[in-house]
Amino acid sequence: MTGMTRIQTRFAACAAEGRAALVTFVTAGDPDFETASAILHALPEAGADIIELGVPFTDPMADGIPVQLAGQRALKAGQTLKKTLAMVEAFRAAEHDTPIVLMGYYNPIYVYGVERFLSDAKAAGVDGLIVVDLPPEEDAELCLPALAAGVNFIRLATPTTDDKRLPKVLQNTSGFVYYVSMTGVTGGSIANYDAVGEAVARIKRHTDLPVAVGFGVKTAADAAAIAKGADGVVVGSSLVERVRLSLDAQGKATEKTVSAVTSLVAELAAGVRSAARAAA
Amino acid sequence: MNAPHTPNTYRSGPDENGRFGMYGGRFVAETLMPLILELEQAYEAAKADPAYHAETAYGLKHYVGRPSPLYYAERLTEYFRDKAAASGLSGGAKIYLKREELNHTGSHKVNNVLGQILLARRMGKKRIIAETGAGQHGVATATLCARYGLECIVYMGAVDVARQAPNVFRMQMLGATVVPVESGTKTLKDAMNEALRDWVTNVADTFYCIGTVAGPHPYPAMVRDFQSIIGKETREQMQELEGRLPDSLIACIGGGSNAMGLFHPFLDDPSVEIYGVEAAGHGIPTGLHAASLTGGAPGVLHGNRTYLLMDADGQIKDAHSISAGLDYPGIGPEHSWLHDVGRVSYLSATDEEALEAFQLISKLEGIIPALESAHALARVAELAPKKPQDHLMVVNLSGRGDKDIPQVAEILAAR
């Protein structure tokens, strides 16, 4: 690593292979701390290039039902932000190269204390943050302190982010840009792949950062379709649904829980690799 | 936290970033950001347009039925004077009730909804969404959507749908679609989450009509402006009746819109004492309450920084109150600021105290108050006897209690 961040290095490596990166979202502590830790450790080998680790919150207003339920399972099992950082630290001790991005809402971080959080997150091996309810208008809260602390702050761009607003959104973004494929919550369905491709091209005219696309990517075929035009493909809801469907009647993890997730990750990884990249 | 210094005026907020001191702001997903900027622009343009003011003034007078009376509650005043005398005191404030319960739809909520619906029309939005707790804001929104021929979808926690059945039926009669929210704790905060999820999905044609002085900027300021008619009228009416300003104001607080509406025009009158009353539920020490200022801490939820009920990990806790309209774990950001700078005193009243006041006002004045408003009246019982007889006290009777009668009857029958 010659001054490159883990996220830059990973996107560069995927680009060198002529493919998009697979970004997998799972919720920290879902369905319990031990099982979620086991899932996390198994993700890189299953084919995840970058891991988004969801920080559970009681009021996830940008999430659809699958991610809402995953957060509720985790909170019920006693997950906290502190435990999530401990989970990352244990992962990082075993796996050096796969970037971890924490994704969630501002309040748990605000209550933890921004300075203390950034220092603990950096020490644990967190590479970036996606905080849904912090638009550029609130950059002074966490984005600028994160950049100063050497933690990437990954911004969401959406179909409502027009060309006039895009520079503002991109200004303090680092690591990559997360393009939200639709107006809606996580777990919806993509109606128009062409529109997504056009939007990615539009963003790329404004930035050199990699652009990953998320919201509505569920299957290997979806991943392959998106991977044609994007630098990364984010899959979340269908993975946490795999967790839910693997649980027993009491909602506890079973021996199938980890493999239920990793088997889908492997399919998605194959999907990403099957897509011929559009010429850059 | 540093002690905030006393500002020159308490009425200049919010700043250009939507902040009241450290509170407020625009903590929303990027998808919504262009929408709230558009709303802010549209509201600023409307504020500068005499035609918009004329339209709202007409609606407030002829459809809502304003001005609402400022009524001297003679028997209530005598009652507290007798109580004061019984404990050897000569006091007992002169109590006035600001009769917001006489508005069309039965509460202050309509003042705000009228302003927002007329704004939505100016913006060409055809689909209105709202959240509701007790159903008063939902009913007001459904009413004005009926009046102006707009589609109306009201999100309501499944728990509240069950305990406020009459209001659900009213909304349906008015042509609204009521969506029971099954996510999270199935109460007002979850209804607000679901409304935000709707808005983020239906960005092009939808106007989100928020019911209280909370949410991302410009909502706290805009809703306050619409509700300030309460305080403006009170000022004029008291001048007419008594030739001077009132000495104190009291209002209940959930999100805090009826209180802010009454308080705001008086914030820079230092002689006017101002009291907000939060819902203490089973009592603050039990942890089962809805008193964000008394029992919470600053956090970020639903687009703004404000006092919230939450645990040490920043997870939002359930609020508890006999009154569905106060059952919210947050409060408008301007109240948080007024609390920190000390301009307004924030008190609380328990379920039991509110229930007592509910019965007392019904019997003494022939006015059945909403359980929400009964919280303010409960603190009057404590404050009024301690004030001299020439002390003019205004209580905001924010809503009528018809909707609460089945619930109160059930509670009293069980005793």
Side-chain angles (χ1 to χ4, degrees):
Chain A
M1 268 182 42
T2 55
M4 274 172 65
T5 65
R6 250 184 227 116
I7 293 175
Q8 285 174 313
T9 306
R10 183 51 57 96
F11 271 107
C14 292
E17 290 177 28
R19 65 175 179 90
L22 175 63
V23 183
T24 58
F25 172 96
V26 290
T27 295
D30 172 29
D32 60 73
F33 185 86
E34 284 72 27
T35 311
S37 297
I39 292 171
L40 190 60
H41 285 271
L43 285 173
E45 195 177 323
D49 296 305
I50 295 172
I51 296 168
E52 270 182 24
L53 191 58
V55 177
F57 182 48
T58 38
D59 294 80
M61 49 270 197
D63 284 301
I65 287 167
V67 177
Q68 289 177 36
L69 292 176
Q72 285 174 21
R73 289 192 296 269
L75 290 173
K76 200 174 164 203
Q79 191 68 12
T80 60
L81 182 51
K82 200 172 172 199
K83 286 186 182 176
T84 299
L85 292 175
M87 194 175 267
V88 174
E89 193 173 12
F91 172 85
R92 189 54 77 218
E95 156 63 58
H96 184 265
D97 296 331
T98 302
I100 288 207
V101 174
L102 295 186
M103 179 164 185
Y105 297 81
Y106 185 37
N107 199 51
I109 295 172
Y110 179 68
V111 169
Y112 194 98
V114 165
E115 290 306 322
R116 184 176 147 233
F117 167 76
L118 287 172
S119 139
D120 290 358
K122 181 87 182 156
V126 169
D127 300 287
L129 304 174
I130 302 175
V131 184
V132 178
D133 51 353
L134 286 178
E137 281 73 6
E138 302 293 350
D139 268 0
E141 294 284 334
L142 179 64
C143 174
L144 298 179
L147 297 181
V151 176
N152 283 150
F153 197 88
I154 294 129
R155 189 94 66 197
L156 304 172
T158 72
T160 59
T161 314
D162 59 16
D163 276 326
K164 193 164 150 266
R165 182 167 169 81
L166 200 47
K168 190 175 178 95
V169 168
L170 295 172
Q171 189 184 10
N172 293 316
T173 302
S174 66
F176 61 97
V177 180
Y178 185 139
Y179 180 67
V180 175
S181 69
M182 64 180 86
T183 56
V185 294
T186 55
S189 295
I190 296 178
N192 186 342
Y193 286 105
D194 290 342
V196 174
E198 284 161 26
V200 172
R202 177 167 70 89
I203 293 168
K204 290 181 84 70
R205 285 198 291 276
H206 288 264
T207 181
D208 294 331
L209 289 171
V211 179
V213 175
F215 283 42
V217 186
K218 293 187 173 114
T219 63
D222 296 336
I226 293 294
K228 281 179 193 162
D231 303 303
V233 180
V234 189
V235 184
S237 295
S238 60
L239 292 173
V240 298
E241 274 298 88
R242 282 289 180 98
V243 172
R244 184 177 69 83
L245 295 169
S246 76
L247 304 178
D248 68 16
Q250 281 73 48
K252 302 282 185 221
T254 63
E255 59 198 11
K256 286 180 284 187
T257 300
V258 175
S259 62
V261 175
T262 53
S263 62
L264 179 56
V265 170
E267 288 171 32
L268 294 162
V272 163
R273 282 166 177 79
S274 74
R277 283 295 299 277
Chain B
M1 215 181 311
N2 298 326
H5 62 88
T6 305
N8 296 325
T9 169
Y10 292 97
R11 304 182 66 221
S12 63
D15 66 16
E16 67 277 11
N17 296 313
R19 300 293 181 105
F20 304 90
M22 67 179 273
Y23 302 102
R26 287 179 284 217
F27 296 89
V28 297
E30 171 60 23
T31 310
L32 293 182
M33 201 58 223
L35 279 69
I36 65 170
L37 292 173
E38 180 199 6
L39 175 65
E40 186 181 353
Q41 273 182 358
Y43 178 54
E44 290 303 320
K47 266 203 292 193
D49 182 355
Y52 176 74
H53 287 285
E55 202 180 4
T56 48
Y58 183 89
L60 287 172
K61 182 172 178 188
H62 298 286
Y63 192 69
V64 175
R66 301 201 72 92
S68 70
L70 184 66
Y71 160 75
Y72 170 41
E74 195 176 352
R75 291 197 67 211
L76 196 61
T77 299
E78 289 306 324
Y79 177 83
F80 290 125
R81 283 179 180 168
D82 289 347
K83 284 201 101 172
S87 44
L89 300 168
S90 62
K94 188 170 183 183
I95 300 166
Y96 281 89
L97 304 178
K98 180 61 174 163
R99 302 283 307 274
E100 290 297 302
E101 100 283 7
L102 291 176
N103 293 335
H104 183 39
T105 74
S107 80
H108 70 290
K109 291 292 186 187
V110 70
N111 304 329
N112 162 48
V113 174
L114 177 73
Q116 288 201 49
I117 294 299
L118 293 178
L119 185 59
R121 275 163 58 85
R122 281 173 67 99
M123 295 173 73
K125 306 284 184 184
K126 306 270 186 240
R127 182 176 178 272
I128 308 297
I129 58 171
E131 83 295 331
T132 198
Q136 292 304 94
H137 174 60
V139 166
T141 307
T143 297
L144 281 155
C145 286
R147 161 71 185 81
Y148 289 103
L150 300 166
E151 184 186 0
C152 180
I153 295 111
V154 179
Y155 290 94
M156 188 168 184
V159 168
D160 294 333
V161 168
R163 66 176 166 176
Q164 300 284 339
N167 270 347
V168 174
F169 188 65
R170 284 173 81 191
M171 288 184 269
Q172 289 166 341
M173 284 292 291
L174 292 160
T177 303
V178 179
V179 182
V181 175
E182 299 284 351
S183 64
T185 54
K186 306 174 189 184
T187 58
L188 179 54
K189 80 176 174 75
D190 307 286
M192 198 153 181
N193 289 334
E194 213 55 39
L196 286 164
R197 289 180 189 123
D198 179 311
W199 203 22
V200 94
T201 307
N202 301 291
V203 294
D205 62 344
T206 298
F207 185 98
Y208 182 14
C209 183
I210 293 185
T212 192
V213 286
H217 179 63
Y219 283 101
M222 182 172 74
V223 176
R224 172 201 72 199
D225 293 348
F226 293 143
Q227 291 294 2
S228 291
I229 184 78
I230 302 172
K232 284 178 199 154
E233 282 178 6
T234 300
R235 249 185 123 85
E236 284 171 21
Q237 290 165 324
M238 193 58 98
Q239 196 64 43
E240 243 168 63
L241 291 163
E242 299 277 357
R244 64 183 183 89
L245 290 175
D247 297 300
S248 61
L249 309 172
I250 306 182
C252 68
I253 298 190
S257 70
N258 90 79
M260 193 55 72
L262 176 63
F263 298 170
H264 196 261
F266 293 99
L267 289 176
D268 286 337
D269 296 293
S271 69
V272 181
E273 299 168 26
I274 307 182
Y275 301 94
V277 183
E278 297 190 289
H282 296 288
I284 304 290
T286 66
L288 300 173
H289 59 82
S292 319
L293 292 176
T294 313
V300 174
L301 179 71
H302 293 152
N304 57 177
R305 175 166 24 232
T306 193
Y307 278 79
L308 300 172
L309 301 180
M310 58 188 171
D311 69 14
D313 188 47
Q315 306 297 338
I316 307 305
K317 288 205 281 200
D318 293 356
H320 288 267
S321 172
I322 190 173
S323 142
L326 303 182
D327 211 350
Y328 180 68
I331 184 169
E334 194 166 9
H335 283 295
S336 291
W337 177 71
L338 290 168
H339 168 75
D340 281 10
V341 298
R343 175 62 186 100
V344 177
S345 304
Y346 291 90
L347 314 169
S348 63
T350 63
D351 289 351
E352 198 54 43
E353 291 169 323
L355 210 51
E356 257 173 56
F358 180 92
Q359 297 170 77
L360 183 70
I361 313 311
S362 298
K363 286 185 180 133
L364 286 180
E365 295 291 348
I367 298 170
I368 300 177
L371 276 173
E372 289 78 16
S373 322
H375 284 72
L377 294 159
R379 281 284 75 80
V380 172
E382 186 183 69
L383 291 166
K386 293 179 189 156
K387 301 292 183 189
Q389 299 204 354
D390 62 354
H391 180 104
L392 305 176
M393 181 175 278
V394 176
V395 189
N396 202 5
L397 199 69
S398 55
R400 66 176 181 230
D402 308 44
K403 69 184 175 60
D404 299 312
I405 288 170
Q407 188 189 356
V408 172
E410 197 179 314
I411 293 168
L412 296 180
R415 295 190 168 171

